[in-house]
Amino acid sequence: MGIAEWRARLRQGEVSARELTQSHLDRIAAVDPTVHAFLEVTGERALASADRIDAARAAGQELPPLAGIPLAIKDNLCTKGIRTTCSSRMLGQFVPPYESTVTERLWDAGAVLVGKTNLDEFAMGSSTETSAFGPSRNPWDPERVPGGSSGGSAAAVAAGECLAALGSDTGGSIRQPASFCGVVGLKPTYGRVSRWGLVAFASSLDQVGPFTTSVADAAEILQVIAGADRRDGTCLQAPVPDYSAALGRPVKGLRVGLIRECFDQPGLDPAVKASVLAAAQRLEALGCELVEVSCPRFDDGIATYYVIAPSEASANLARYDGVKYGYRAAAPEGGDSLATMTARSRAEGFGEEVQRRILIGTYALSAGYVDAYYRKAQQVRTLIRRDFERAFEAVDVLLSPTSPTTAFRFGAHRDDPLAMYLADLLTIPANLAGLPALSLPCGFDAQGLPIGLQLIGGVLQEEQLLQVAHAYESDARVMDNRPAAALVA
Ligand code: GLN
């Protein structure tokens, strides 16, 4: 059942918010020792919020849209009074004194926080293996990663530990784990959703979005979190349409573009390719027109991203100096200088991948290299965006696989960070161009692992993305024929 069905049952009193919350807390207690989606479960707070909703209903008050819906939040979104660690030792004890805009909007809409979810440290990674607190496991196969960086959120939704979750996507961190875990993940247009209270990774790319078990639920969550915020200067003023209203509209006549470069990748798993092409044919059968388009600069996305994202990260992470807040290394006997205290705090507080990004970014921004690397990357970024603009002159939405492979095993890329970076090949270009993009399940490989289909829309075209995704989902009914998996709800 989705959010709309639970809302109806809650309003009719067929189930109480406490019962719904308790059933999810029970599910967490049963499966999370294996899945490890959560860094912290906020059971007491969840039951208290649920009781308030039940009391409001008993008093005859009108319930807000997400009243009683149990949600999980990626642990890089600030929650007032609740530890927000970014899966880093650096913020291991950080309790934010303020609430992020997106979570504030969810609580105002009546949603119930069940806990904070695991991620790659500071959202840098594609597997949750860089978390300082241990990885999460994929509910479809606990020997495999759930994807990343929002792997905890994706796994929590797939395992039925919450009805929906929030993640953040800088280079694919919502879509890739959604693909690996067989759920829906939506990265909105850059600026559609406020970043206030999202711990910054790469500020020109970061965007918050939902994980859900259906496209309709993604529309519900986006509805609540989208919209202008005076506390985030990059947040767009554009009015927020009624996303759910877009869902039933017929897709006949819409032009769907297959990005040639995505299907030509040498690393593309044949099972993934076949499943995504079959999904495209299904859309054609529903009346969409399939058009092959070319984005010649698509392949430059990774190189461009791995200059821009680390550069911005190196600037954003400079604030963790061991002085104002965050981890501070113990002083040696006889005291310490400010410089060595800062250096030691950062060496001990940040994991290897975060340090690697800071070094790359600092190098790319340093005098003498900034023109060759950072400025050049910004120029290529413009070319990538223009490729998309040209493509959207011919089509309404673009279609590709979300990830070149299904979920890989733990340690598969342990000694090869470049191989891990390549996993983001298909998701990164949408971040560089600021475009909305969504992943939804389209099939399974021979091991029974979910495959994700990516749809990319024009700027602020979330409605159209949801419309096409919903049409596909209702027709294909992929989850009706899913393989059995003990940890999947
Ligand atoms: N996997 C990519 C990275 O490591 C993207 C991460 C993200 O979107 N936060 O940077």
Side-chain angles (χ1 to χ4, degrees), residues 74 76 119-120 122-127 148-150 168-177 201-202 205-207 305-306 309-310 353 357 420-421 423-424 427-428 431:
K74 186 177 184 180
N76 63 350
L119 61 147
D120 283 290
F122 282 100
M124 298 173 188
S126 308
S127 65
S149 65
S150 316
S168 64
D169 190 315
T170 304
S173 278
I174 293 175
R175 290 159 286 156
Q176 184 256 22
F201 164 9
L205 301 161
D206 298 341
Q207 189 60 189
Y305 172 88
Y306 277 100
E353 183 60 28
R357 306 281 179 113
M420 185 75 93
Y421 296 174
D424 303 323
T427 47
I428 277 175
N431 298 80

Side-chain angles (χ1 to χ4, degrees), residues 275-293:
S275 175
V276 171
L277 288 175
Q281 274 153 17
R282 195 177 274 276
L283 284 171
E284 192 175 32
L286 290 171
C288 293
E289 184 192 335
L290 298 187
V291 184
E292 190 179 278
V293 298

Side-chain angles (χ1 to χ4, degrees), residues 191-192 226-228 235-241 243 460:
R192 174 73 293 184
C235 198
L236 300 169
Q237 301 287 332
V240 178
Y243 292 115
L460 289 175

Side-chain angles (χ1 to χ4, degrees), residues 73 99 109 113 132 136 153 160-161 190 201 289 320 360 380 453:
I73 303 292
E99 190 75 32
L113 172 69
S136 303
S153 288
E161 298 172 274
Y190 182 76
F201 164 9
E289 184 192 335
Y320 305 107
I360 294 172
V380 180
L453 163 73

